[in-house]
Amino acid sequence: MDPELGQRFDRHRDQLRGVAYRMLGSLAEADDAVQETWLRLAAADTGRIDNLPAWLTTVVSRVCLDQLRTRRTRREDLTGPPPADAPAPDPTPEDEAVLVDSVGRALLVVMSRLTPDERIAFVLHDLFAVAFDDIAPVVDRTPATTKKLASRARGKVRGHPDIPATELARHRRTIERFRTAARTGDLDAVLEVLSPTVIRRADRSAIGPARPAEAHGATTVAGEIATFGRTTRFATPLLVDGTPGLAIAPHGRLRLIVRFAFDADRIAGYDLIADPTHLRRLRLAMLPETGPA
């Protein structure tokens, strides 16, 4: 083995980690993919590698694609130790928080809805400007088909609002007021953004057995929010079935959707949705930029 191979690999580690994280949405899994890439490099005939960065990106992408394709058939265990001979540090919550912020919580949530091949094509082309001719061998498709995969993924990520742009911007501002008030636990600010007759509905996966499925009236609902709403530090605005909503996504992984009904600049009601079957039926997409929120 080339004694400088580890140093050459380390120069590309952060880039590979960024690619893998965007593909997998998990820092621990991303580090596993990077480490597997290192092991494959260590076993390869490096004298035949003309472009090391391109070779590494291709290999880590294939490793990620295999993980995405098998993810649903295995139990996720994201806390296991890395391979003993893979020279990488364990990820920390701070590492993951930095990556979530750099990628965008909403984008991670929406990309989780893509098929494995769509996600690979979208991440490589749209986020890292890799040519379709180079992506095609990774997903075992023609360049033309790979281009269609990325286009289809792009359409899913961007989505299409079901309301006019002016209404979208207005609701976005209302949601931002709600999110800020809930995050700080400011009861007065919460009351200002709620309609007096607001109704909160929730499934049992969202609230558990102890709390009622419905809560009525601004005072009751605001009290709940002031007590339980601080999870909104993990909240991100996005389109839910074509209108603005919130996703609660610690570490970029979807846990809860808040779907709103509006009355002018106030919230007339909202649904807390955490049931996995119900979550899968929702149309989620990025919220378009429509001016200041």
Side-chain angles (χ1 to χ4, degrees), residues 23-215:
M23 290 178 175
L24 298 171
S26 159
L27 186 52
E29 284 188 315
D31 280 345
D32 284 347
V34 172
Q35 292 167 22
E36 175 62 23
T37 302
W38 158 250
L39 293 177
R40 295 189 187 188
L41 176 63
D45 181 358
T46 56
R48 301 179 64 180
I49 299 175
D50 296 326
N51 185 330
L52 182 60
W55 188 93
L56 291 172
T57 298
T58 296
V59 172
V60 79
S61 299
R62 286 174 173 158
V63 171
C64 290
L65 181 59
D66 288 342
Q67 290 194 36
L68 288 170
R69 286 174 172 173
T70 60
R71 179 178 281 175
R72 295 179 182 178
T73 62
R74 65 176 174 81
R75 181 179 66 85
E76 290 194 354
D77 183 4
L78 306 181
T79 60
D85 54 352
D90 291 335
T92 67
E94 291 77 16
D95 290 336
E96 189 136 24
V98 169
L99 276 172
V100 169
D101 289 342
S102 67
V103 178
R105 202 178 300 272
L107 182 58
L108 286 169
V109 169
V110 173
M111 285 197 303
S112 71
R113 298 302 186 91
L114 302 178
T115 69
D117 289 15
E118 288 172 347
R119 187 159 182 167
I120 297 296
F122 176 80
V123 168
L124 288 178
H125 182 265
D126 285 46
L127 303 186
F128 290 95
V130 178
F132 289 119
D133 285 349
D134 297 323
I135 302 171
V138 177
V139 293
D140 196 23
R141 309 288 183 94
T142 66
T145 302
T146 303
K147 186 175 182 179
K148 291 179 181 177
L149 280 173
S151 177
R152 188 163 63 234
R154 197 175 305 119
K156 292 180 180 179
V157 168
R158 292 178 179 173
H160 301 283
D162 292 343
I163 57 178
T166 53
E167 189 176 355
L168 184 73
R170 187 178 191 180
H171 293 341
R172 185 187 182 108
R173 289 191 293 270
T174 300
I175 286 177
E176 187 56 37
R177 289 168 55 210
F178 174 88
R179 182 170 64 152
T180 300
R183 185 169 58 241
T184 59
D186 185 337
L187 184 60
D188 290 336
V190 171
L191 286 168
E192 287 180 4
V193 78
L194 297 178
S195 166
T197 57
V198 64
I199 301 174
R200 186 276 294 154
R201 299 181 178 88
D203 62 39
R204 286 301 169 196
S205 297
I207 60 171
R211 295 165 62 195
E214 290 190 5

